[in-house]
Amino acid sequence: MIHWTTDEIAPHDRFAHWREVRARNIYGVTAELAPKERLGFRGAFSVLEIGGAAVLGEMRASAYEVTRGPADIARASSDSLCLYEQTGGACWFATDGGEFIVREGELALSHSDLPYRTRPVTPLGYHLRLVKIPFAECKVFAASPGELVARKLPAQAGIGALFAAYFRSYIAQAPHLSGHEAQTATQTLVQLAFLARGLVVAREEPARDAVRAARLERARQIVETHLCRPDLRPAMVSAALAISVRQLHLLFAPTGVSFARYVLARRLERARMLLALNHRRSVLDIALDCGIDSPSVFYRGFRSAYGMSPTDYRRSLCAPSEKG
């Protein structure tokens, strides 16, 4: 992971350095900001290589205007698929395909070597994540970079929502991905992005596999959000995914852990954390807070998972002075 910030540069030199060294030479864009606004400029970014399959960049910076025109592309071609997430504020984009605004939580897709202009439309400036994937890895899915003019992706329902869920899971796992695992996750991400863009047919086998992977990730996210609810049942999760209960169970089958066992394992892990954080709270109260309303299920499951009862686990964490 590489981190860099303009705090390392004298205030009067910050934008000039950002424009020439960072924007022009690293990002391959032309950056413009009125001279009277430059003294207050600040920026920071980080870069993480994801197992040799992709690069994740995160950036926060004061507002300025960015252009990537023909001269910039000729000087710094990168021939990559770009998946962009707005993590704060909002940005306006203009391309040969029109204009649009990407707001917080929304995603966009483009090819790196197609022209565009962008600028923030809120005082937050730039708050974004960008995943760059070599287009050579994507050609099996999209015939031409020209199909990938920058465009916002739907994220509220259907394939767009699955892509958004998988994208955020991919970002969370990025520091731990390597080798074949990184390659597989990245290829799944590309498939879902092209499905959301309408460039891939969902009936094709690789696309079906990508959709299954995304549904599994989304199911796990739903479970995590609703762990404390005793009524967290297969029917609730399958309804949220717009699939049948049978299809939900089939999603978990290849993992070797059934839906019910996965939910219980996540609840027990949450309970273990709460037992460690609050020594005075009753064990049964913690079980209920984790969605387990049966004491026998809780005690039996906890002992099976961690080799001791919840009470003994809590005692094992106490300092000698607390044991009396």
Side-chain angles (χ1 to χ4, degrees):
M1 173 79 78
I2 298 172
H3 296 276
W4 188 85
T5 173
T6 54
D7 291 349
E8 301 173 9
I9 306 293
H12 61 277
D13 291 330
R14 284 175 180 169
F15 184 73
H17 179 92
W18 185 273
R19 180 183 59 192
E20 297 303 320
V21 178
R22 307 297 162 178
R24 178 180 171 84
N25 294 332
I26 295 180
Y27 298 122
V29 299
T30 298
E32 296 295 342
L33 182 63
K36 64 181 181 180
E37 299 176 16
R38 294 180 182 181
L39 189 60
F41 177 82
R42 298 185 72 176
F45 70 85
S46 64
V47 178
L48 172 69
E49 185 177 348
I50 305 176
V55 174
L56 167 63
E58 300 199 31
M59 187 179 86
R60 293 191 175 195
S62 306
Y64 61 97
E65 182 153 326
V66 168
T67 302
R68 183 156 167 81
D72 300 299
I73 294 167
R75 185 187 71 250
S77 173
S78 67
D79 192 25
S80 301
L81 173 69
C82 297
L83 302 175
Y84 171 101
E85 180 186 23
Q86 189 76 28
T87 55
C91 279
W92 165 85
F93 282 83
T95 73
D96 291 343
E99 300 181 19
F100 59 92
I101 291 176
V102 183
R103 294 177 174 81
E104 182 175 354
E106 295 183 331
L107 298 112
L109 177 154
S110 70
H111 188 276
S112 63
D113 293 347
L114 296 175
Y116 68 89
R117 287 189 299 138
T118 184
R119 64 172 179 268
V121 294
T122 75
L124 281 177
Y126 290 101
H127 280 219
L128 62 91
R129 290 192 183 106
L130 182 68
V131 175
K132 293 184 71 172
I133 303 163
F135 193 68
E137 301 296 322
C138 310
K139 285 181 178 178
V140 66
F141 309 126
S144 166
E147 297 178 86
L148 302 174
V149 173
R151 187 179 300 168
K152 188 164 62 174
L153 294 172
Q156 301 306 314
I159 294 297
L162 289 177
F163 166 69
Y166 193 87
F167 180 89
R168 290 177 184 119
S169 175
Y170 179 88
I171 296 298
Q173 296 174 34
H176 314 293
L177 292 174
S178 62
H180 178 71
E181 186 180 32
Q183 193 73 29
T184 299
T186 301
Q187 291 291 306
T188 300
L189 186 69
V190 172
Q191 282 270 14
L192 291 166
F194 287 171
L195 275 167
R197 184 69 178 261
L199 298 174
V200 172
V201 178
R203 294 189 301 272
E204 295 175 357
E205 185 174 348
R208 291 199 305 268
D209 291 343
V211 170
R212 280 194 292 268
R215 281 178 173 157
L216 179 60
E217 287 302 321
R218 181 63 185 135
R220 288 169 171 163
Q221 291 171 10
I222 294 168
V223 166
E224 210 64 29
T225 301
H226 300 291
L227 269 181
C228 63
R229 293 180 54 170
D231 64 341
L232 177 60
R233 301 284 188 266
M236 173 185 164
V237 179
S238 62
L241 290 170
I243 61 176
S244 69
V245 170
R246 180 176 179 276
Q247 286 174 307
L248 176 67
H249 288 308
L250 289 174
L251 287 180
F252 281 84
T255 71
V257 178
S258 69
F259 174 82
R261 288 186 177 276
Y262 178 79
V263 171
L264 180 60
R266 296 303 304 137
R267 284 171 164 166
L268 292 171
E269 180 57 30
R270 175 178 166 80
R272 188 167 73 113
M273 178 189 71
L274 293 177
L275 285 166
L277 290 175
N278 193 331
H279 291 182
R280 291 181 173 82
R281 194 174 177 191
S282 78
V283 170
L284 291 181
D285 188 38
I286 286 175
L288 288 171
D289 191 44
C290 296
I292 305 175
D293 53 8
S294 168
S296 61
V297 168
F298 180 58
Y299 276 89
R300 185 169 60 249
F302 198 97
R303 184 178 292 279
S304 175
Y306 304 114
M308 64 181 78
S309 73
T311 303
D312 289 341
Y313 174 75
R314 173 178 275 172
R315 287 172 180 159
S316 74
L317 299 175
C318 292
S321 60
E322 295 179 296
K323 293 181 179 179

